[in-house]
């Protein structure tokens, strides 16, 4: 009976909404609200049997059509291909160079733009709103694509354009969601762009739903009523357009508090406007550079500044993501694809909201991503919600439903409400981005990426609250939680643009892509003003193929006033600026690791190689650091620069000496050789990226001193712990459990068999495969289903080993869960990984990497289809990607593969490799 009611979709939601309205909350006991397990055999997403002839079935996959074929449909029954998506590229292979920077391109023109002449753009918050479950239609429908004038539209064809910017802003400002979000995908409402789609395809669409999520129980929101969304936001992936100030009213700071207020450093987001708004004249990388056109840049909302989601543990969120990209897949300026799938990297989210590469959706559609925002271990650890370290940060008077021993709404007192789960799994700095099969690199490069801050009892974004739990990280005090006055998000990514100033990408080189201009928050050489106090920087490597090693130096007046002289005649010198790393891959660490020359962080005998210099940071890795600017004089200029050199996108070459960069001995520059401009003298990515200017501070810095949390070092005992690891490497019982766990191996390799898909992954010593979303390479099973308060357990523990060869570099990302590194190259990990949980594991040629890494990982709470891949996304898009599933307890059948088309999503059977359930070594 319960399952039958759940399968009625909209009716079941309305019943729930009515109950919620009566209770004043949106959640309830685990075991009584939601179906859990495999779909019934009559369901469109019903599981299928593993083929008896596994080898033959795997071989047969090689003969089948690509799973993303539906995204390539053109008029009159024709289909394009991945290669044909490049037709509009301004530099086809015949016109490309042999230069490394940018990859096979030419130097990006600067249009007179000079460094340090624009303020750093601070991220714009999406802004969450309470979810209204009243079923009322919008007064303004999702706007239709329109032709119009550049830069926001195609002058001639609506199908090569997007909605009008004013209409899109008005639509996004509307309250509520319509149609209402449903547990199963909404297949009843039609895509509002259906008439124009039919006209473009020149055929009738028998289907064409508004929601692009695959239908049926298999892709229904897991534990929907238990984790029913309490807050929502909506956004549209759209071509570049001017920011109309649409989200000004949703900024938590309101442009009237702290450093975002009228007297603060960040009241004017760009330094070009009156302040108090994010309005602009259109996205550009510098005020002297051209505005980006609608087919060059595809961002969230279509606007700058880059976006930020501020989320709290315990409060489930729904993102309704609209696709407002062109109907015509060729309207892309030669790179990028109009179908998208959004991955929240690396949330503890059910698979239907993880952004599976083959669960993409089309222009005109939306996809409802529901993120439960619960701590991992929800079903097995602290299930009574009695541990104060696991809590929802809040303002007094807020309410939250908690499924503890007495499930009911709890009211915020003393700034928090206790929640279930393992507080050691608390996360902090995330991002979400596109994961479209074969087009992740191009779509993310084109703008499909934002950042996400998780707030918790431990990391609440209010440094003044001292309750014995809050770590008081640099942030501010004006708001109960989520202050960003002294907590700055930085996304660093190398880009290139053509001779007209429009963003350019080379999709033809499968080895990787290097841009020749490194941007911070999408800006060329910006300036960040800071107060003379401690700051937190959340640094994301948002590049396609480039690794970084960031250094911080302070400029001194006088050629020899500080240890490292500047260029001859500059009358300046430099000194290193020390800092502490407090989080790795968004996870607060057990200890704050000092990068100040007091500890041999990688046990190589050199204390200075990481003094003021971060380790290699692969694509998608996030490093959170704390820098104390109070130790520098007001007016001091600090520079963030990169010291890690590339020659190609295959991997890094070497670290360049800091002194050589600062003195000008290593100085890449554009020169004309045989009449052709090109970069000479080195990698242009080795440069100063961000200028930081210290301003006076008259307030009180309440933030924690990271030196109190350092690991043991010569002459000093270990300090306090921030968040201890869930695995204690010194506990024999825990290490025996690791030894007994199921083992899996993944070898990341290369083949010369084809230039189109050269990258492969070999699982458990078997065959090397290119990516196919119908193939399942691993399938750990959950140890249990949903539990009520009082339950205990350990989840499913496994040990995975990643390896590579050939001198390549691969930052490998495992979706859904974080692991604890056991060994790197057969040795204990360096300090910055020893105390961290990770979701990106670098393997390769770097001095601080290794050819293999081994880690322990646990699986809990949610099932479904996930991915593992190289986050050099050119490698991923050229086949270095695999699918792995989390199965229900005792599952025997295999989850099918969704196959999206304009008319809706169907399913085909999946095939597990021979070891997908056993691994390379079974548990003991």
């Amino acid at each position: 009976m319960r399952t039958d009611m759940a399968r009625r979709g909209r009716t079941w939601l309305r019943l729930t909404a009515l109950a919620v309205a009566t209770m004043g909350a949106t959640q309830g006991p685990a075991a009584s609200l939601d179906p859990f397990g495999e779909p019934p055999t009559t369901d469109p997403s019903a599981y299928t049997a593993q083929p008896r002839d596994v080898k033959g079935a795997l071989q047969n996959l090689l003969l089948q059509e690509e799973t993303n074929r539906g995204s390539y449909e053109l008029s009159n029954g024709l289909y394009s291909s991945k290669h044909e998506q490049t037709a509009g590229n301004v530099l086809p292979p015949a016109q490309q160079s042999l230069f490394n920077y940018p990859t096979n391109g030419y130097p990006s023109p600067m249009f007179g733009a000079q460094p340090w002449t624009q303020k750093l753009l601070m991220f714009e918050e999406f802004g969450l709103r309470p979810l209204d479950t009243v079923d009322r239609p919008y007064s303004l429908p999702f706007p239709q694509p329109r032709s119009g004038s550049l830069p926001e539209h195609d002058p001639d064809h609506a199908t090569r354009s997007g909605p009008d910017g004013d209409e899109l802003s008005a639509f996004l400002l509307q309250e509520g969601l319509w149609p209402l979000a449903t547990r199963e995908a909404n297949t009843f409402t039609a895509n509002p762009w259906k008439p124009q789609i039919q006209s473009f395809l020149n055929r009738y669409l028998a289907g064409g739903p508004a929601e692009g999520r695959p239908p049926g129980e298999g892709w229904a929101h897991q534990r929907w009523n238990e984790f029913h969304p309490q807050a929502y936001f909506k956004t549209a992936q759209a071509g570049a357009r001017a920011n109309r100030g649409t989200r000004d009213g949703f900024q938590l700071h309101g442009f009237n508090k702290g450093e975002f207020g009228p007297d603060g450093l960040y009241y004017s987001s760009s330094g070009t406007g009156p302040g108090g708004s994010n309005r602009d004249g259109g996205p550009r990388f510098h005020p002297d550079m051209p505005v980006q056109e609608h087919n060059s840049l595809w961002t969230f909302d279509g606007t700058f500044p880059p976006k930020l989601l501020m989320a709290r543990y315990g409060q489930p969120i729904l993102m309704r993501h609209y696709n407002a990209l062109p109907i015509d897949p060729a309207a892309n300026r030669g790179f990028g694809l109009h179908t998208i799938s959004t991955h929240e990297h690396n949330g503890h989210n059910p698979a239907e909201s993880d952004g599976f590469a083959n669960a993409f959706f089309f222009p005109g559609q939306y996809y409802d991503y529901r993120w439960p925002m619960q701590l991992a271990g929800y079903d097995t650890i602290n299930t009574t919600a009695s541990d104060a370290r696991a809590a929802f940060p809040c303002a007094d008077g807020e309410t939250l439903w908690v499924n503890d021993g007495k499930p009911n709404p709890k009211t915020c007192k003393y700034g928090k409400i206790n929640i279930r789960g393992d507080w050691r799994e608390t996360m902090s700095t995330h991002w979400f981005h596109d994961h479209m099969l074969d087009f992740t690199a191009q779509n993310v490069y084109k703008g499909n990426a934002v950042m996400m801050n998780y707030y918790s009892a431990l990391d609440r974004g209010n440094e003044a609250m001292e309750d014995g739990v809050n770590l008081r990280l640099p942030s501010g005090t004006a708001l109960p939680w989520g202050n960003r006055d002294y907590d700055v998000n930085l996304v660093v990514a190398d880009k290139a643009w053509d001779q007209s100033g429009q963003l350019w990408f080379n999709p033809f080189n499968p080895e990787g892509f290097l841009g020749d201009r490194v941007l911070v928050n999408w800006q060329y050489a910006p300036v960040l003003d800071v107060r003379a106090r401690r700051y937190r920087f959340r640094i994301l490597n948002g590049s396609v193929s480039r690794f970084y090693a960031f250094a911080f130096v302070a400029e001194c007046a006088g050629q020899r006033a500080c240890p490292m002289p500047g260029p001859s005649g500059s009358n300046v010198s430099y000194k290193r600026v020390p800092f502490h790393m407090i989080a790795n891959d968004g996870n607060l660490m057990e200890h704050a690791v000092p990068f100040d020359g007091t500890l041999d962080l990688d046990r190589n005998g050199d204390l200075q190689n990481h003094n003021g210099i971060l380790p290699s940071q692969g694509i998608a890795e996030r490093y959170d650091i704390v820098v104390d600017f109070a130790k520098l004089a007001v007016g001091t200029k600090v520079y963030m620069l990169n010291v890690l050199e590339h020659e190609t996108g295959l991997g890094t070459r070497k670290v360049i000496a800091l002194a050589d960069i600062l003195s000008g001995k290593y100085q890449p520059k554009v020169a004309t050789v045989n009449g052709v401009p090109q970069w000479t003298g080195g990698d242009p990515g080795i440069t100063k990226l961000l200028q930081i200017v210290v301003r006076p501070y008259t307030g009180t810095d309440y933030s924690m001193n990271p030196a109190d949390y350092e690991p043991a070092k010569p002459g000093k005992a270990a300090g306090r712990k921030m968040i201890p690891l869930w695995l204690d490497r010194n506990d024999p019982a825990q290490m025996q459990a690791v030894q007994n766990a199921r083992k899996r191996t993944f070898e990341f390799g290369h083949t010369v068999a084809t230039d189109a898909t050269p990258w492969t992954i070999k699982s458990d010593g078997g065959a090397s495969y290119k990516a196919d979303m119908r193939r399942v390479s691993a399938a750990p099973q959950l140890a249990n289903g949903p539990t009520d308060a009082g339950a205990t357990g350990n989840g499913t523990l496994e040990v995975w080993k990643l390896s590579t060869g050939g001198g390549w570099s691969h930052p490998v990302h495992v979706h859904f869960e974080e692991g604890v590194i056991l060994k790197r190259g057969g040795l204990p990990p360096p300090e910055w990984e020893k105390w961290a949980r990770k979701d990106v594991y670098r393997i390769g040629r770097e001095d601080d990497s290794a050819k293999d890494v081994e880690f322990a990982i646990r699986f809990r709470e949610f099932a479904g289809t996930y991915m593992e891949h190289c986050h050099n996304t050119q490698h991923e898009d050229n086949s270095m990607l695999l699918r792995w599933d989390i199965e229900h307890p005792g599952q025997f059948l295999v989850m099918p593969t969704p196959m999206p088309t304009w008319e809706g999503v169907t399913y085909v059977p999946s095939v597990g490799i021979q070891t997908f359930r056993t691994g390379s070594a079974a548990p003991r």
Side-chain angles (χ1 to χ4, degrees), residues 438-486:
D438 293 345
F439 286 87
T440 298
Q442 298 176 43
N443 285 356
V444 172
Y445 182 87
K446 210 172 178 81
N448 192 323
V450 299
M451 291 190 74
M452 180 177 182
N453 293 353
Y454 274 53
Y455 294 94
S456 61
L458 297 154
D459 187 6
R460 68 178 295 119
N462 184 316
E463 65 187 45
M465 182 174 180
E466 188 169 7
D467 61 356
V469 173
N470 180 31
L471 289 171
R472 302 173 62 190
L473 297 169
S475 49
T477 61
L479 300 165
W481 65 275
N483 290 280
R484 293 195 292 131
D485 302 330
Y486 315 112

Side-chain angles (χ1 to χ4, degrees), residues 107-108 110 516-517 667-673 676-681 684:
S108 300
M110 294 309 299
D516 64 335
R517 301 292 183 181
Q667 188 176 16
K669 57 185 178 182
V670 176
T672 300
V673 180
V676 180
Q678 59 185 271
W679 284 99
T680 62

